[in-house]
Amino acid sequence: MKSNEVWHIDTTVIRLIDGSRAYLHAVIDNFSRRILSWTASATFDPATTAEILLTGSKVYAKLKGPESSSDVTSVRWLSCA
């Protein structure tokens, strides 16, 4: 396995002192363990997951350079947004 071949999303539930919950979402590269994108929210919402995936893909494109951004902007990938 190489860097940027497999990503995963980690969601951690944080219990706060007042009894409420906060959710920490992160997109992580499996090989390098680099956090590509993250956010904290008060609700568990699938839209948040989609948003950080898109942000992570933009970070990935910046890491690889502008000449290789086509692999994260394919029609199939964009149709998931």
Side-chain angles (χ1 to χ4, degrees), residues 10 23-27 35-41 48 51-52 55-56:
D10 179 67
Y23 300 89
L24 178 64
H25 306 274
V27 176
I35 297 173
L36 300 173
S37 178
W38 68 273
T39 189
S41 63
T48 304
E51 185 179 310
I52 65 168
T55 303

Side-chain angles (χ1 to χ4, degrees), residues 2 7 16 23 29 32 40 50 55 67 76 81:
K2 296 185 299 187
W7 294 352
L16 304 176
Y23 300 89
D29 176 60
S32 67
T55 303
E67 69 282 350
R76 187 172 178 193

Side-chain angles (χ1 to χ4, degrees), residues 40-80:
S41 63
T43 60
F44 186 79
D45 184 20
T48 304
T49 302
E51 185 179 310
I52 65 168
L53 273 171
L54 290 173
T55 303
S57 69
K58 291 175 186 174
V59 169
Y60 169 67
K62 286 181 184 178
L63 292 174
K64 286 188 75 179
E67 69 282 350
S68 62
S69 62
S70 62
D71 58 346
V72 293
T73 56
S74 68
V75 173
R76 187 172 178 193
W77 168 255
L78 293 175
S79 66
C80 295

Side-chain angles (χ1 to χ4, degrees), residues 1-8 28-32 36:
M1 184 182 334
K2 296 185 299 187
S3 184
N4 296 314
E5 283 186 342
V6 178
W7 294 352
H8 72 272
I28 303 169
D29 176 60
N30 278 9
F31 181 78
S32 67
L36 300 173

